[in-house]
Amino acid sequence: VVDTQLMLGVGLIEKDTNGEVLWVWCYPSTTATLRNLLLRKCCLTDENKLLHPFVFGQYRRTWFYITTIEVPESSILKKVTHFSIVLTTKDFNPEKYAAFTRILCRMYLKHGSPVKMMESYIAVLTKGICQSEENGSFLSKDFDVRKAYLAGSIKDIVSQFGMETVILHTALMLKKRIVVYHPKIEAVQEFTRTLPALVWHRQDWTILHSYMHLNADELEALQMCTGYIAGFVDLEVSNRPDLYDVFVNLAESEITIAPLAKEAMAMGKLHKEMGQLIVQSAEDPEKSDSQVIQDIALKTREIFTNLAPFSEVSADGEKRVLNLEALKQKRFPPATENFLYHLAAAEQMLKI
């Protein structure tokens, strides 16, 4: 079965010789809200004039991917200095959509009309493939989602944060809200996209919001999520403690736990062991990133094994719930008991 119908739409944004940025075309259609969001994400509307070849993010379960290029003098696009191709999709796969938008860019440069782009878009949507002699061909199934999940480097994160990586692991285990700041969007995206791999057993990248603005509508959508990883390039976000439990200042290599999250995030022997394992595994030159992820996943499974004896099937037989008395009788160190309790809460194992 071809994994089609994952793409939702394609759009074109242009910057003309007068410096005006316009939403020129889209297929099949878009909403005003989404159009405004994509114009905001597109670097052509940014005051600082920096060109970002490729950005991606998520808004209310719709992923967006934007490739932007400068139009060469020789092009048939005479009145246009830059343009962006925008794809909206249901899935997280930056490499796949970077490759496809690059092909669409080359088509638009060559033909100067969106017709060819639309044809290719429909071909990929229905058949998972588009072929063109001069612009390269694209095959959807070359881009497995597991490859996208493993594309980032856990080793880079550990080499930057060392033992403190366990704070990120704990926050993700407990489905806390993580905000990441760096002035460069590329750094934010690279770092944030890798974090969900720390809780590999969930394989859940829907928690990732790799490119956020401090915009009321975006923040409202974000705050509807239980836990998340949100990336910002605006340092102003550090003054918004309502948005995070853990704040990562990538530029300064600093991780801060918000006062209200300190109790749930209290670290003990269990966390120390986890931290040591993460560092040891990541510092092993023989190990690849995916092996490090595997090591962390195995250790994480042990934590869930710890929780198993204290869980029982709920009265209605629907799900497993925590037996708090049994947990307390085990007399774990306070930080361990506290963590297991909060983990059970994150996994919705508490009796209501």
Side-chain angles (χ1 to χ4, degrees):
V1 182
V2 182
D3 203 3
T4 59
Q5 307 304 317
L6 287 173
M7 296 193 300
L8 297 166
V10 57
L12 171 66
I13 298 169
E14 288 182 348
K15 186 174 199 167
D16 65 21
T17 40
N18 303 324
E20 292 276 331
V21 177
L22 295 169
W23 179 276
V24 183
W25 171 84
C26 67
Y27 175 84
S29 64
T30 188
T31 61
T33 312
L34 199 55
R35 188 171 60 226
N36 291 335
L37 174 98
L38 296 167
L39 278 164
R40 185 162 60 243
K41 302 298 172 193
C42 163
C43 60
L44 300 180
T45 55
D46 202 3
E47 272 80 81
N48 67 16
K49 303 277 189 288
L50 273 179
L51 193 69
H52 301 291
F54 182 67
V55 297
F56 61 89
Q58 185 206 165
Y59 169 76
R60 299 185 192 266
R61 291 291 167 104
T62 292
W63 291 94
F64 58 84
Y65 303 92
I66 307 174
T67 289
T68 304
I69 64 168
E70 193 170 354
V71 176
E73 292 284 308
S74 58
S75 168
I76 55 171
L77 295 165
K78 285 296 169 240
K79 293 218 164 12
V80 181
T81 60
H82 302 78
F83 66 84
S84 299
I85 303 281
V86 182
L87 276 181
T88 50
T89 76
K90 295 179 204 167
D91 60 330
F92 168 77
N93 203 323
E95 286 67 34
K96 171 161 87 169
Y97 296 118
F100 186 41
T101 47
R102 277 199 301 272
I103 289 177
L104 295 178
C105 279
R106 290 201 286 271
M107 286 180 175
Y108 190 54
L109 269 182
K110 183 171 193 281
H111 300 283
S113 121
V115 177
K116 290 273 189 245
M117 291 199 291
M118 187 171 91
E119 287 168 3
S120 297
Y121 174 85
I122 293 169
V124 170
L125 191 65
T126 53
K127 301 202 274 291
I129 182 166
C130 81
Q131 282 161 311
S132 66
E133 296 67 54
E134 70 281 12
N135 302 314
S137 48
F138 170 84
L139 196 57
S140 259
K141 67 174 200 305
D142 286 346
F143 298 91
D144 177 55
V145 69
R146 280 175 62 92
K147 261 198 237 166
Y149 290 166
L150 291 166
S153 172
I154 288 278
K155 297 183 102 165
D156 287 355
I157 290 177
V158 180
S159 74
Q160 183 170 3
F161 288 103
M163 272 300 272
E164 286 203 312
T165 310
V166 79
I167 300 174
L168 302 170
H169 178 265
T170 304
L172 288 159
M173 287 284 281
L174 300 181
K175 299 186 180 172
K176 295 293 182 195
R177 301 164 308 153
I178 302 173
V179 161
V180 176
Y181 159 77
H182 192 283
K184 290 196 174 76
I185 184 59
E186 290 78 6
V188 173
Q189 303 205 132
E190 198 45 47
F191 183 84
T192 55
R193 73 166 297 173
T194 311
L195 287 183
L198 284 171
V199 282
W200 182 256
H201 64 284
R202 290 197 188 121
Q203 299 213 1
D204 181 11
W205 263 254
T206 63
I207 61 172
L208 172 65
H209 302 258
S210 51
Y211 186 18
M212 294 286 303
H213 282 80
L214 288 167
N215 160 281
D217 179 45
E218 282 185 54
L219 296 181
E220 184 196 330
L222 184 69
Q223 285 170 306
M224 284 161 68
C225 310
T226 17
Y228 53 72
I229 301 159
F232 291 83
V233 289
D234 182 355
L235 188 53
E236 182 54 37
V237 70
S238 61
N239 303 323
R240 291 292 305 267
D242 57 314
L243 294 178
Y244 59 82
D245 301 306
V246 173
F247 181 74
V248 182
N249 184 329
L250 261 190
E252 304 288 336
S253 301
E254 283 170 3
I255 300 180
T256 313
I257 301 174
L260 287 175
K262 284 210 157 82
E263 185 259 339
M265 299 273 299
M267 301 282 163
K269 178 169 168 278
L270 185 76
H271 300 86
K272 191 179 172 188
E273 284 173 14
M274 189 78 209
Q276 284 166 336
L277 170 110
I278 292 172
V279 170
Q280 214 172 347
S281 177
E283 285 179 349
D284 182 343
E286 299 295 303
K287 283 187 175 168
S288 67
D289 276 297
S290 57
Q291 284 170 310
V292 176
I293 289 168
Q294 219 171 347
D295 288 349
I296 298 169
L298 281 170
K299 186 77 177 164
T300 303
R301 199 172 302 150
E302 275 176 37
I303 295 175
F304 280 105
T305 314
N306 271 335
L307 202 51
F310 316 108
S311 63
E312 55 200 23
V313 176
S314 61
D316 57 8
E318 285 295 297
K319 57 176 195 176
R320 298 195 70 78
V321 291
L322 181 73
N323 179 334
L324 193 56
E325 282 315 300
L327 177 64
K328 286 194 185 304
Q329 277 165 11
K330 188 78 169 85
R331 300 190 178 231
F332 278 118
T336 302
E337 182 187 301
N338 177 54
F339 174 69
L340 291 174
Y341 173 78
H342 284 284
L343 180 60
E347 295 289 336
Q348 292 167 332
M349 285 169 62
L350 296 189
K351 286 179 192 151
I352 304 301

